[in-house]
Amino acid sequence: MANHILLWVLVALTCSIALSFEPSPMQDFCIADPTSTARVNGMVCKDPKMAQALDFSFSGLHITGNTSNILGSKVTPANVAQIPGLNTLGISLARIDYAPWGINAPHTHPRASEILTVLEGTLFVGFVTSNPENRLISMVLNKGDVFVFPMGLVHFQRNVGYGNAVAFAALSSQNPGVITIADAVFGSNLPIASEVLSKAFQVDKNIVESLQAKF
Ligand SMILES: *[C@@H]1O[C@H](CO)[C@@H](O)[C@H](O)[C@H]1NC(C)=O
C-alpha cells in the first residue's frame, strides 16, 4: 500500500514537472479557431476536416520592418496570432530589424526560451541571470552567429554595426508573450506609485515621475 502511494506521488511530481512547459499535442494539430468564445489553455480547435495549407502558413518575413521609431528596431512576429496552425505546437518565430545603433530593449518572454540568428549586420546581445548574481552574459554576434536567451531571463540586442541588421528568432512557445521592462515598470496602466519605484530604484520621486511621463 505504502509503495502504491509513493508511486502515485512520483507520477504526480513527474507530470507537474513535464507540464511546466507547453503540453504535448493530443492530435495531429489543433488549428486555432479565432471565432470561438470558449476560454481554454491555448485556443479552441477548428474542425480538422476544414484544415488548409494557409492555416499553417504566413507570408511577409522577407519584408524589412520599419525601424523609424525611438528604439530603432522592429519585431515582426509569426506566432499563433498570425499562424493558427501553431496552436498547441509550442514554437514560433520572429524577424527583428535594427537601424544602426538601434536596440531591442530589455525584455523577457514569460513562456519561452529563444534562439536567435543574425542574418545581416553585427549585434551586441546579452541576458542577465536571476538573483542574487544578476550576472550579464553577453557577446557580439556577426552574420550567421546564433545565441540563446534562456526562458524568462531579461535580454536585449543592440545593433553595433554601421548598417542595418536583421535577425530571426525561434521561440519555444506558440505565444511567448513579451514583458518590456521599461514599459512594465514605468508605463503600467494604472501607474505604480512613485513611492514604490523611488525606493526600488533608489532615486528621487521626480526622476521616477519624469520616467513615468515618457512611457
Ligand atoms: C515608418 O514609420 C514612421 C513612423 O511611424 C512613418 O512616419 C513612416 O511613414 C513609416 N515608413 C514606411 C515606409 O512605412
Side-chain angles (χ1 to χ4, degrees), residues 66-69:
N66 184 345
T67 58
S68 300
N69 54 57

Side-chain angles (χ1 to χ4, degrees), residues 85-133:
L86 276 182
N87 193 35
T88 75
L89 297 185
I91 54 169
S92 58
L93 200 62
R95 171 185 174 129
I96 311 138
D97 288 277
Y98 311 82
W101 313 112
I103 64 160
N104 188 10
H107 63 280
T108 81
H109 303 291
R111 292 177 288 277
S113 295
E114 172 174 343
I115 181 165
L116 175 138
T117 183
V118 178
L119 298 192
E120 287 299 337
T122 304
L123 295 179
F124 174 69
V125 305
F127 65 83
V128 179
T129 69
S130 55
N131 297 351
E133 291 82 8

